[in-house]
Amino acid sequence: MAGGPAVSSGSQHYVNLIDTSKPWWKNRRLLALNAWIVLLLITSSTNGYDGSMMNGLQSLPTWESYFNYPTGGRLGLFNAIQNIGSLCAYPFAPYVADGLGRRTSIFLGACIMIVATSVQSAAQSFGMFIGARFLIGFGLTFAASAAPLLITEIAYPSQRGQATAMYNTLWYLGSIVAAWTTFGTFRLPTSWAWRIPSVLQGLPSVIQVFLIWFAPESPRWLMSKGREQQALKTLAYYHANGNEQDPLVEFEFEEIKAALRFDREVSSNVNWASLLKTPGNRRRLRIIIAIAFFSQWSGNGLVSFYLNKVMNAIGITDPTTQLLINGILNIYNFFIAIGAGLLVDKVGRRKLFITSTLGMVLFWTCQTICFSLFSQHGWASAGHAVIAFICASIAFTPLIVAYTVEILPYAIRAKGFVVFNFTVSLSLIFNQYVNPIALQNLGWRYYIVYICWLTFEAIFVYYFVVETKGRTLEETAALFDGEDAAQQVAHDAAIAAEVVPEKASSGGSVEEVTVIGKSA
């Protein structure tokens, strides 16, 4: 780890090209664009719904009795099978997203999930329920592998960081709906207590199936397929009210061309091995794999899938109370995640990562102390305090997806994001099998393992996470190939779009552009 922390300043080449004459919410085209982004964000809500629903179902007596009170490995399989389904789809997902388009991948995934949730809702046996959950994971992979890519590739430049950060944040919206749905159906005496939440799980996919073809396709994907005019029209329509001669649109268009050309020069034959061919790609992969594991091995797996087991262990055993706490925690976490997501461009990715990991070390240590006091002395107040300290351990929820997709160049973005999702699924499967067994056998001592791991996370983040705020998508992706590469991409775009540097900061790290030979 020698050499100090990885820090890089932004360049903001496009800053003078942003139209600031009126706020974005008064621009009808930007409102429409952000509405399409919301359509894409609900993919994450579907995923969040699933995790919270499974958490809630374990507190439903009707669900437990219907499936013969699953415990141990059988209960682990109920939760893990969805991620096993995801693993099976990962080899195919990037080829669909890169070959057929981002929208096609989302449409395919939504169709599969509609079928899967229908089967799950009608399940008559353990095998039928497990099969449906496998299919949910399989379909979700196609949608979740493409939706964040499309968001980051169509978003308005000054809103890209926040828009992409909202993707993982919306996980909690689905989680909230599922938590309160299971709370609402809790008292139903029949199997509809768990079938109704299962039916509602398919609703976001139905909305996407009917609307996705009206959403814009990625200009990056269009240009990679030689459809440059269509890409230009898409950029102009949403980013400049249809003006193809707008300086910002011309700069974006030329920068995408320059970045695609640079990617071809760096790796003329793009395949899975390309992720390891260059030093820049290896740096990206190291960070992506690390934050994927961090996203699931920070203790959140206990809260996401086995909160009822944790609450049983600290003396909160009433099912109604458990469901109520689950619903309140999800609402609280949702607002915390939104706050963090809105700060990505103001505070910066690196500072948020560091603050998050240090905060998790602190609050997980507090949880461990309280859990041990309850276990050894039976103090009810200490047990209740465990729940209070759970709330503060999700600060970098918005960052993991946003950071992953922005540091990957277009040529390997889909494949790199699949590696991220694949790693997340591996870590989830491990967690979902190990957590209930370890918690049962080790009790509060199991929390000490997480304290040690979270400390390692904080050290890794400090030394290896690179700051990326204040850059365009193409500049951010090129940054890992060296500061010169990022500057070259922006410089080539500026020359081609007939914009030149207007001023530079005293440190030489911030450069703005102005238009020459054209009317702004």
Side-chain angles (χ1 to χ4, degrees):
M1 293 183 184
V7 183
S8 178
S9 57
S11 59
Q12 294 186 313
H13 288 84
Y14 63 90
V15 68
N16 276 0
L17 306 180
I18 298 290
D19 181 9
T20 58
S21 61
K22 60 180 178 180
W24 68 268
W25 60 84
K26 293 184 179 180
N27 186 320
R28 288 185 299 172
R29 298 286 175 86
L30 280 183
L31 285 174
L33 177 62
N34 288 330
W36 292 126
I37 288 176
V38 170
L39 177 69
L40 306 174
L41 291 173
I42 63 174
T43 301
S44 182
S45 298
T46 302
N47 197 11
Y49 187 100
D50 184 84
S52 183
M53 182 188 72
M54 288 304 298
N55 212 344
L57 293 186
Q58 293 171 59
S59 295
L60 295 180
T62 52
W63 183 85
E64 288 201 302
S65 62
Y66 197 91
F67 292 105
N68 298 318
Y69 302 94
T71 58
R74 185 180 175 91
L75 179 60
L77 181 61
F78 264 104
N79 283 314
I81 191 65
Q82 190 243 43
N83 288 290
I84 294 173
S86 294
L87 288 176
C88 293
Y90 284 140
F92 312 104
Y95 295 103
V96 175
D98 283 343
L100 301 179
R102 311 319 197 196
R103 295 184 303 175
T104 301
S105 186
I106 295 168
F107 177 79
L108 175 63
C111 288
I112 295 173
M113 282 189 286
I114 290 172
V115 173
T117 52
S118 299
V119 175
Q120 179 179 264
S121 303
Q124 301 296 315
S125 65
F126 174 82
M128 191 173 177
F129 193 88
I130 288 293
R133 290 193 52 71
F134 175 90
L135 201 58
I136 287 173
F138 191 85
L140 181 62
T141 293
F142 289 98
S145 294
L149 307 186
L150 187 51
I151 291 169
T152 202
E153 290 169 359
I154 65 174
Y156 194 67
S158 60
Q159 299 176 353
R160 177 181 57 81
Q162 294 176 342
T164 313
M166 285 299 107
Y167 179 81
N168 217 42
T169 299
L170 265 289
W171 189 96
Y172 280 106
L173 180 60
S175 186
I176 290 168
V177 174
W180 288 101
T181 299
T182 52
F183 181 79
T185 61
F186 167 67
R187 299 190 184 281
L188 292 178
T190 67
S191 64
W192 282 106
W194 60 267
R195 294 188 193 276
I196 289 175
S198 184
V199 169
L200 292 178
Q201 186 177 6
L203 182 59
S205 298
V206 172
I207 295 172
Q208 287 186 324
V209 162
F210 282 102
L211 295 180
I212 191 62
W213 297 115
F214 298 100
E217 182 56 275
S218 164
R220 276 88 177 167
W221 182 81
L222 292 170
M223 291 178 68
S224 73
K225 299 301 180 183
R227 296 157 63 177
E228 294 189 356
Q229 191 57 40
Q230 188 176 347
L232 180 60
K233 286 184 178 296
T234 300
L235 287 171
Y237 184 87
Y238 288 103
H239 292 186
N241 290 309
N243 180 11
E244 295 181 12
Q245 282 75 47
D246 182 86
L248 174 62
V249 170
E250 291 189 326
F251 181 77
E252 288 185 283
F253 182 76
E254 294 297 339
E255 189 172 50
I256 294 171
K257 286 175 64 176
L260 291 174
R261 183 168 59 249
F262 177 80
D263 291 343
R264 285 192 293 268
E265 292 171 356
V266 172
S267 182
S268 57
N269 183 24
V270 177
N271 50 40
W272 289 101
S274 300
L275 294 169
L276 296 169
K277 279 183 178 179
T278 68
N281 285 352
R282 289 192 290 272
R283 289 177 66 197
R284 294 180 179 100
L285 199 61
R286 176 178 62 194
I287 295 174
I288 287 169
I289 291 175
I291 64 175
F293 276 116
F294 296 169
S295 72
Q296 304 305 321
W297 286 3
S298 298
N300 52 322
L302 283 170
V303 179
S304 298
F305 293 96
Y306 299 107
L307 180 60
N308 71 311
K309 304 300 180 188
V310 172
M311 287 192 284
N312 286 337
I314 58 177
I316 302 174
T317 57
D318 179 62
T320 302
T321 303
Q322 289 183 353
L323 289 168
L324 187 62
I325 290 174
N326 185 33
I328 293 172
L329 279 177
N330 278 294
I331 292 175
Y332 182 88
N333 291 342
F334 179 54
F335 284 109
I336 294 294
I338 286 180
L342 295 176
L343 290 173
V344 293
D345 286 329
K346 294 182 179 179
V347 176
R349 283 70 158 161
R350 176 179 159 77
K351 288 182 180 178
L352 283 175
F353 267 122
I354 293 173
T355 302
S356 173
T357 49
L358 291 177
M360 287 190 291
V361 171
L362 173 62
F363 284 98
W364 197 264
T365 300
C366 293
Q367 284 187 62
T368 305
I369 294 171
C370 293
F371 197 172
S372 68
L373 290 174
F374 175 83
S375 300
Q376 296 179 75
H377 304 289
W379 297 352
S381 58
H384 295 163
V386 172
I387 300 298
F389 286 120
I390 286 175
C391 298
S393 53
I394 44 77
F396 67 78
T397 295
L399 297 176
I400 52 175
V401 170
Y403 193 77
T404 296
V405 297
E406 74 179 8
I407 68 175
L408 289 163
Y410 175 82
I412 60 170
R413 185 168 293 142
K415 291 182 175 64
F417 190 53
V418 162
V419 170
F420 168 82
N421 285 318
F422 181 83
T423 307
V424 167
S425 291
L426 282 180
S427 57
L428 273 171
I429 291 171
F430 175 84
N431 262 8
Q432 289 162 346
Y433 273 115
V434 170
N435 276 335
I437 298 171
L439 187 63
Q440 181 177 345
N441 290 295
L442 298 178
W444 69 268
R445 294 174 181 83
Y446 183 44
Y447 277 45
I448 297 175
V449 176
Y450 279 112
I451 294 175
C452 297
W453 178 256
L454 286 166
T455 301
F456 167 74
E457 288 184 14
I459 295 171
F460 181 95
V461 165
Y462 178 80
Y463 279 99
F464 293 112
V465 169
V466 178
E467 183 55 74
T468 60
K469 74 171 183 176
R471 294 181 181 273
T472 65
L473 182 58
E474 278 64 40
E475 291 168 39
T476 299
L479 177 63
F480 283 76
D481 297 305
E483 184 75 29
D484 291 342
Q487 295 290 343
Q488 186 62 46
V489 167
H491 178 75
D492 290 348
I495 295 300
E498 298 186 25
V499 295
V500 295
E502 181 182 73
K503 64 180 179 178
S505 71
S506 58
S509 62
V510 179
E511 192 177 80
E512 298 179 350
V513 296
T514 188
V515 182
I516 60 172
K518 288 183 175 17
S519 169

